[in-house]
Amino acid sequence: MTEDARDEVDRLVAAWRTERPDLDVEPLQVLSRVSRLAKHLDRARRAAFAEHDLEPWEFDVLTALRRAGKPYELSPGALLRATLVTSGTMTNRIDRLAQAGLVRRRPDPEDRRGVLVSLTETGLARVDAAFADLLRRERELLSSLGPADQRTLADLLRTLLTPFDSPL
């Protein structure tokens, strides 16, 4: 490998091999790169959301509703499952999004005690624009890989993540 092809992780691994030759530092080859990439992705996500006056948590709730399909509506319980937060946190988030005019609540016709949360036209427009911007930024992050390499990487990452996504 030429010095030009080396990255910060290569230098980090080399230093650890020198300092701790008794340890197998191979996991750093993959996981340090994943960690560094996650930081770049987080910056890209935050920038995309900020351009559309959204916080990451707002985007998460709005995209859960958007993915539900027309009428872009879910129960608070379904939103909890989609975003992995507590019920108190979700109530607060729905309140804040409703105050911002991005979602509305209505009584659930199937359950007199329940409510449904849906996107407003403003919420739909905002989440669609932010999502399109996010995809543009993510394509930029992946631009050094061709389509076949992107599919291979996606397959390898899926294999690595599947055990973590399995129900307990």
Side-chain angles (χ1 to χ4, degrees):
M1 176 181 336
T2 66
E3 186 61 33
D4 291 345
R6 292 171 53 89
D7 66 2
E8 187 59 32
V9 174
D10 289 322
R11 290 184 276 282
L12 177 137
V13 168
W16 277 120
R17 283 188 175 136
T18 299
E19 294 301 313
R20 292 297 309 266
D22 57 312
L23 294 177
D24 175 11
V25 296
E26 274 307 298
L28 296 175
Q29 294 280 9
V30 174
L31 298 177
S32 289
R33 286 184 174 93
V34 168
S35 177
R36 293 172 69 82
L37 184 59
K39 290 176 185 173
H40 291 289
L41 177 58
D42 186 57
R43 284 188 203 117
R45 290 173 62 88
R46 289 180 182 279
F49 306 154
E51 275 192 28
H52 301 279
D53 296 319
L54 293 172
E55 293 294 328
W57 66 265
E58 291 172 310
F59 183 81
D60 288 345
V61 174
L62 297 175
T63 55
L65 291 166
R66 182 64 169 98
R67 287 190 311 269
K70 283 188 176 187
Y72 312 118
E73 185 171 75
L74 291 170
S75 69
L79 283 169
L80 283 175
R81 289 185 293 280
T83 59
L84 304 174
V85 298
T86 65
S87 61
T89 298
M90 183 53 66
T91 298
N92 180 273
R93 289 180 175 184
I94 293 168
D95 288 345
R96 291 173 63 186
L97 289 166
Q99 287 172 348
L102 301 175
V103 302
R104 74 174 66 80
R105 286 185 178 97
R106 71 176 183 91
D108 184 343
E110 306 291 318
D111 177 1
R112 290 187 334 178
R113 296 170 296 156
V115 298
L116 294 172
V117 180
S118 60
L119 287 174
T120 63
E121 286 185 29
T122 301
L124 178 62
R126 183 100 52 97
V127 73
D128 278 354
F131 185 55
D133 192 25
L134 173 62
L135 290 174
R136 180 186 57 78
R137 291 167 189 268
E138 288 182 350
R139 275 191 290 282
E140 288 172 11
L141 284 174
L142 293 169
S143 65
S144 63
L145 297 176
D149 286 340
Q150 288 182 33
R151 283 190 298 277
T152 298
L153 180 58
D155 290 342
L156 292 169
L157 290 171
R158 181 182 307 105
T159 299
L160 190 61
L161 285 170
T162 297
F164 297 101
D165 290 340
S166 298
L168 299 176

